[in-house]
Structure formats: structure tokens, C-alpha cells
Amino acid sequence: MLRDLTDTDLDRVLEINQANVPAVGSATRSHLAHLVAQSAIALVSETDGDSTSGISGFCIVFAAGADYDSINYRWFMEHHSTTMYLDRVAFDERFHGRGLGTEMYAEVDRRIRARHPDATGLTLEVNIDPPNEPSLAFHAALGFTEVGRQMSKGIEVSLMHRPLT
């Protein structure tokens, strides 16, 4: 089940986030709370059988104009200002390979179309060095293509875009 991320989810979301560093940026609870407050879309995936809180993963998506100082977000807003920016998506490793990411991206697309009809695409970055091969393959399969590269906090990233259809 996918639902909106709430403040009561932040401890579990932080746990999942930190377990996925460096694939996603490190954060504190207060930083995640700020990201959620600024987000256009923030979702959690709840999965039966998760013995902790039921939350198996999450994502945070921004529209243009968010109060967010990420170098990657700024790059996309300068070069693809009519797109939405997926800042982070992460799952508890116990739930990898179950199709939950594909379901989450489908829901993100649905919500973008419903709430942001002028958005032309979805953007994100994936680590190249150190490489995140599973994420690169996953995003390529979903139709994302590289539109640039840059260094972000000592990590080289592939800046990726997928048009909304």
C-alpha cells in the first residue's frame, strides 16, 4: 500500500534513509522533516510482514520553487524547470526486488499528472562513482536517460530525465 508520508513516519524513514547511504544522501530527522514539508509528493510504502512499523520504503519529490539547497535540485531547476525532481527513494533491503519501486514510481507519475498537469517530466540523479549499478539499470528500464553529470558532495552522479507521457 502506498500513502502520504506523515510526521509519525519520520523515525522509520530516517532509519531506511541512513541504511541506504551513499545511494541516498545522509540526513537527520529535522532535515527529512524539512524535505517533506517542502515536497510536492512524499510517499511511504507499507508492506505486510514488516515487523518494525509496516513501512518498507519512501520517496520525496519536489516541484519548482521548493526551499531546497541541493546542488542537483538547482541544476535541474536551471536546465529542466518544468519537471518534477525525485530527491530520494529508498527501501529497506529486505524488500528489494519485489516490484515495490516500480509501484511507487507509477504512483508518483499518477500524482504528478493529477496535481501538476504542467509538469513535463521527472528528474533524479543516480551515483556513478561510487557506482549504483542496480539503480542505474532500474531507472534505464523505466525510461530515464542521462542528461548530464556532476559532482555532488564528492560523488559523481548521472543526472537523469524521463518525460511524462
Side-chain angles (χ1 to χ4, degrees), residues 117-129:
D118 294 335
T120 60
L122 184 61
T123 57
L124 51 84
E125 76 277 346
V126 177
N127 295 354
I128 294 174
D129 187 18

Side-chain angles (χ1 to χ4, degrees), residues 13-162:
V13 166
L14 177 61
E15 181 182 321
I16 293 168
N17 189 90
Q18 294 308 103
N20 281 276
V21 172
V24 296
S26 184
T28 63
R29 190 179 194 283
S30 62
H31 180 66
L32 282 175
H34 174 75
L35 296 181
V36 171
Q38 289 294 310
S39 70
I41 300 168
L43 301 174
V44 293
S45 173
E46 287 188 319
T47 307
D48 290 337
D50 182 349
S51 61
T52 52
S53 72
I55 296 173
S56 55
F58 74 97
C59 76
I60 300 173
V61 180
F62 296 105
D67 176 20
Y68 188 32
D69 64 355
S70 159
I71 187 173
N72 297 319
Y73 172 72
R74 287 194 315 260
W75 189 93
F76 282 118
M77 291 304 102
E78 290 172 11
H79 296 91
H80 297 273
S81 62
T82 61
T83 64
M84 303 291 286
Y85 171 71
L86 193 147
D87 177 64
R88 61 190 66 216
V89 59
F91 284 88
D92 182 309
E93 70 179 30
R94 296 173 295 158
F95 297 95
H96 290 187
R98 295 188 187 185
L100 299 175
T102 301
E103 289 176 13
M104 185 170 282
Y105 276 70
E107 180 64 12
V108 166
D109 286 351
R110 188 190 70 71
R111 290 184 184 215
I112 290 171
R113 285 186 198 96
R115 299 178 186 174
H116 304 276
D118 294 335
T120 60
L122 184 61
T123 57
L124 51 84
E125 76 277 346
V126 177
N127 295 354
I128 294 174
D129 187 18
N132 187 340
E133 295 297 337
S135 184
L136 289 166
F138 173 78
H139 288 97
L142 290 180
F144 285 87
T145 59
E146 184 173 279
V147 294
R149 288 187 180 194
Q150 71 178 3
M151 293 298 291
S152 175
K153 297 182 181 177
I155 296 172
E156 185 178 12
V157 296
S158 171
L159 302 161
M160 303 184 89
H161 173 270
R162 180 189 67 191

